[in-house]
Amino acid sequence: AGIARKNGVATVQGVEPGDALIAVDGRATAAMTRGALLDALHGAPGTRKRLTLKRKDKEIEADAPVTAF
């Protein structure tokens, strides 16, 4: 899909198109509904979420700030 941007700048550094989100703060996303996933990503602006991503055959971590749009 794409990377969320605010004012033309990516909101999460280190994430690339094609990365698969497999966990948010250690909670697996595979069985989550879209609503549950959005709830897991939601938080107060300024807090951070730890994303676990799969890129090709590797798992990587990214620290994502919660941002108000």
Side-chain angles (χ1 to χ4, degrees):
I3 308 300
R5 295 183 171 279
K6 185 172 183 180
N7 299 324
V9 178
T11 57
V12 181
Q13 300 301 314
V15 178
E16 297 178 3
D19 288 350
L21 179 60
I22 59 174
V24 177
D25 289 336
R27 293 179 46 212
T29 60
M32 286 184 183
T33 64
R34 182 181 174 122
L37 177 58
L38 292 174
D39 285 345
L41 292 169
H42 188 265
T47 60
R48 302 186 87 69
K49 298 290 181 169
R50 190 70 176 166
L51 308 181
T52 305
L53 307 157
K54 186 165 187 171
R55 181 180 298 157
K56 299 181 183 170
D57 292 328
K58 295 182 184 179
E59 285 188 12
I60 60 170
E61 301 283 323
D63 191 37
V66 176
T67 304
F69 282 87

